[in-house]
Structures are given as C-alpha cells and as structure tokens.
Amino acid sequence: MESLKQRILKDGVIIDGNILKVDSFLNHQIDPRLAFDIGKEFYNRFKNARVDKILTVETSGIAFAVCTGYNFNVPVVFAKKYNGLNMSPEVYRSKIRSYTKQTDYIISVSKEYLSSNENILIIDDFLANGQAVLGLIDIANQAKCNITGVGIVIEKGFQQGGQILRNLGIRLESLAVIESFNNNKIIFRED
Amino acid sequence: MESLKQRILKDGVIIDGNILKVDSFLNHQIDPRLAFDIGKEFYNRFKNARVDKILTVETSGIAFAVCTGYNFNVPVVFAKKYNGLNMSPEVYRSKIRSYTKQTDYIISVSKEYLSSNENILIIDDFLANGQAVLGLIDIANQAKCNITGVGIVIEKGFQQGGQILRNLGIRLESLAVIESFNNNKIIFRED
C-alpha cells in the first residue's frame, strides 16, 4: 500500500537501529483517515473471500479492525488481554508469549461472539514473531471457525511471524513489509 | 440518538437488575456501522466548536474516537492504562480510581501528542462516576490544552459523573442517558 509506505518513511522513527516507532499515526496517536484507507485496502484484498467477522486483539489493532469491518459490514470482535486467572468457562483463551516483555499473557474472547463455521478475518497492526496472531488463530480454532486470512498493517519481514503463517497455509496480506533497516533507512520488501 | 437507544433496548442485557451489558455491539463485539453513526453524531453535535484533536482512553473508547476523528479529520490520541511505575518524564500521567475493581490505575499520554492551546474533544463509551474522563481532563490540563467538550456514548444518569462534569462547566454530550432500570426495563432520560 503505497500511501502507507510513504507515511512510514515520512513519520516513522527508527530507534536503536532496529525498532520502528509509528506512535505518531498508527498507535497511541492515530490518523483516522489513514485508518479508514487501511480498512478499505483490506476490504479490496479480501472482498472475494468469505468474511463473516473481523477478529483482532486489544489495543492497537482495534482502529484498523473497525475500519475493515465497516467496509465489510460485519461485526468486529476484539480479544481481551489480561494477566490474571479468569478461568470462566464462558470464554475461549490462549496463552501468548511476549518476547519484548519476556512474559506470558492470556487473551480471551467470549464464547457468545464466535460461532462454528463463521469465516474469520484476523486484523492486527504489527506482525513480528507472530505470537499474537497465533493466539487469535488458536481461539478461532477452538470455536471451530474458518480462518479466511490475516491482514497486517506492518510486517517485520526479518522476523519469523510471516513465514510461520505462510507455512500453516494461511493467506497473509501485509500492507507494508519491512525487509531491513539499513543505516537508519527503512527498506521495504518489493510487492 | 434514537437509533442508539433502540439498539440498546434491542441488544442490551440487564444483569442483576442494575448493570447494563452492551458487549454484543459496543465493547468486545462492535458493530462498525453503528460506531460510524456514533462518530457522525458527535461530529454533528460539536461541529461548530473548535476541535483539533480527539482524546480517549484504551480500550473501548477507541472505536468511537476514531470514527469521530474521521469526521473531524483530526488526529485521535488514546491514553494508555497501566498499573506499573513507568515514571518516564516524557508522559503526562493521571491516577484513576476504579470503583468497580476497587483499585487505582494510571493512564498516560506521551507529551509529544498534546500541545498547549490545542482544542480537545474527549470521547468515551461509558460515563458512570466520571473518574476516567476526569483523568483525561487532568492530562489535557497538564498539557495546557483547552477542553472543547466531552462526548459519551452511554451515560449512567443515576451515577454522579455527568453532574460532576456539568458542575465544572464542561460541555457534555451523551448520546443515550440511562435514567434508571425499572423491573429490568431501561428508562432513558428525555432529551
């Protein structure tokens, strides 16, 4: 998505040579017109597939999931994160490893909001090692849903998440794939 | 907002006679078309005021803040919640009392994303005792912003938050105000 890549080049900040900060327009501060364009782009990429519901995880995936759901006119469900021990039988749960924080956390979705055979499009802002998306896939599988695909705003192509998902046979559409950081310059993977 | 009230009557669930659950269309699962209509309604109510930025707090305010920001074409900033002791000098912080959970938590906004004299419209999904909105006002005041007003999707009119804000002279627009629950029936305040 060319306009997204241009925005990343313009407003993204590289920290310590290998961390991309997009806080000024994607998370923490959000440009809502860009979020809407992102939703429309996911719609265009997946519109010929079956999409009954959008699934994301709080917090920073929500804006893009809602804008995507708006275009498909389907409900958006966001998994909740917590560290606690809520063992309610009413929810699907999955444990996720956070490599950046070196901790585990749990995500959960109420069983009411995922039904068997629903076609689920998973949306998230970032894909790095893929743990959050794998947790969402785990939950969708517990609910016996079909995974239509995964839409990611920014994929870190030098981490393993994208390869893991493709190896699982899952259709992955990433709007911008960062191949590497070269002398504080962002190199995108060619489409 | 008549369509919102009708949706609350149709899909809202009253628990224990005094808790309104709107998880199926406002939080956890979101109806994105309704979220956009809500954003448009906030725009219509505040369009003659000055709005440079939308401010909300994670998680369930984000969808409505983004839809409102889309209509105003201004950035959306969401405050982050945490329990920890991040004492970074780079953020504005405010402590919030959660009466439901009987704990305190901190919300923070990076100083980069609020500038003095910016006109801020605060958006949130629920207003009950007003603690979260007061925390956002506190942060906006620290940044020397002007508070244009507060837009709330559902106000619990029988709790004190609305009165506290009006007593502070703040313009409050609530799209649905619940006056009471009467024998498991929702009574809205007249507009």
Side-chain angles (χ1 to χ4, degrees), chain A residues 21 23-24 28-30 32-33 36 53 58-59 62 66 69-70 73-78 80 110 112-113, chain B residues 21 23-24 28-30 32-33 36 53 58-59 62 66 69-70 73-78 110 112-113:
Chain A
K21 187 167 170 263
D23 263 14
S24 67
H28 202 16
Q29 181 167 263
I30 300 167
R33 295 282 168 111
F36 204 76
K53 199 162 271 184
E58 64 180 14
T59 304
I62 294 175
V66 168
Y70 177 81
N73 197 16
V74 299
V76 174
V77 174
F78 63 86
K80 300 183 178 187
S110 174
E112 291 177 76
Y113 304 131
Chain B
K21 187 166 170 261
D23 263 13
S24 67
H28 202 15
Q29 180 166 265
I30 300 167
R33 295 282 167 110
F36 260 79
K53 199 163 270 185
E58 64 180 11
T59 303
I62 294 175
V66 168
Y70 177 81
N73 196 15
V74 300
V76 175
V77 174
F78 63 87
S110 174
E112 290 176 76
Y113 304 129

Side-chain angles (χ1 to χ4, degrees), chain A residues 33 37 40 50 62 65 71 75 77 93-94 98-99 105 113 116 125 127 135 146 169 171 179 182 188:
Chain A
R33 295 282 168 111
D37 289 345
K40 196 175 284 179
R50 290 185 181 190
I62 294 175
N71 281 279
V77 174
R93 268 181 302 274
S94 190
S98 169
Y99 288 105
Y105 62 97
Y113 304 131
S116 63
D125 58 338
L127 179 69
N146 308 314
R171 179 174 168 197
E179 193 67 63
N182 194 338
F188 290 110

